[in-house]
Amino acid sequence: MSILSSFPAAVLWLASVPLVGQVPQPNSAPACSGCHHSQAASQPGTPMGRAIVLPDSNRTLDANPKMTFHKAPYTYTIETHDHKSVYSVTDGTRTISSEVYWSFGAGVQAWLFERDGKFYESLVSYYPAINGLDVTVGDEGLTLHNLEEAFGRVLSEPVVRTASDAMQRTRYPTAS
């Protein structure tokens, strides 16, 4: 099972959390949470609600500014500088990279990112027991045929629409 199995509810909750200085826009999740108290109040108490971390406040990534994992023929790297994290995968010839949008997990973490209009879940995760990266739970048996497949798991269209709307509101709060 993917770490993002409860992703849509978690995304909706995250979108309801105003950023510093953010004023809720009409028809946005922050505006909706004013009337939908129970939904907005219950999500932070769920395991997924407690496990969503924006990359600029991720203590794990800040404490581990460069992590690398190798699963032949691919090398996975996540690098953090000034609270911005970039996830990269290389086959030794080409490299695909993307900025991390969100981290999921309390302890063990996987990441969500966007590339070419598609949203992806990382195929490697951080595991505190080894203080490093390894294959994301559930992805151990994947057969990867190329660098694009090794980059990550493409999220389904309904999840993408929900994520896209929420990310626009959380990353660009003044956009209409």
Side-chain angles (χ1 to χ4, degrees):
M1 172 177 275
S2 170
I3 194 167
L4 300 178
S5 60
S6 62
F7 180 73
V11 168
L12 293 174
W13 171 78
L14 181 62
S16 74
V17 177
L19 298 175
V20 175
Q22 179 180 350
V23 176
Q25 302 295 310
N27 299 318
S28 70
C32 296
S33 67
C35 295
H36 299 277
H37 301 289
S38 64
Q39 292 88 344
S42 65
Q43 186 58 40
T46 67
M48 202 62 168
R50 290 189 307 267
I52 297 173
V53 181
L54 291 169
D56 63 352
S57 60
N58 189 315
R59 292 180 186 159
T60 299
L61 294 176
D62 286 340
N64 298 282
K66 184 173 183 179
M67 294 185 283
T68 302
F69 176 75
H70 184 73
K71 182 177 179 185
Y74 307 105
T75 300
Y76 297 82
T77 304
I78 187 160
E79 291 189 78
T80 303
H81 302 284
D82 298 324
H83 306 293
K84 290 193 184 266
S85 300
V86 176
Y87 172 90
S88 300
V89 182
T90 185
D91 60 8
T93 303
R94 295 186 319 127
T95 300
I96 300 175
S97 300
S98 181
E99 182 179 344
V100 173
Y101 273 38
W102 288 330
S103 300
F104 291 88
V108 174
Q109 286 188 8
W111 302 282
L112 177 74
F113 36 85
E114 183 270 337
R115 177 176 178 260
D116 297 333
K118 294 180 183 176
F119 290 92
Y120 293 81
E121 176 186 358
S122 59
L123 294 184
V124 298
S125 296
Y126 171 80
Y127 293 90
I130 62 170
N131 193 34
L133 302 178
D134 205 333
V135 176
T136 298
V137 172
D139 293 339
E140 305 89 353
L142 290 179
T143 301
L144 305 172
H145 301 96
N146 55 51
L147 184 61
E148 286 71 20
E149 288 181 9
F151 183 65
R153 178 188 307 279
V154 178
L155 298 178
S156 68
E157 191 62 32
V159 171
V160 169
R161 270 183 267 148
T162 301
S164 177
D165 292 347
M167 284 182 195
Q168 289 301 316
R169 285 192 298 273
T170 59
R171 289 178 143 319
Y172 308 106
T174 58
S176 53

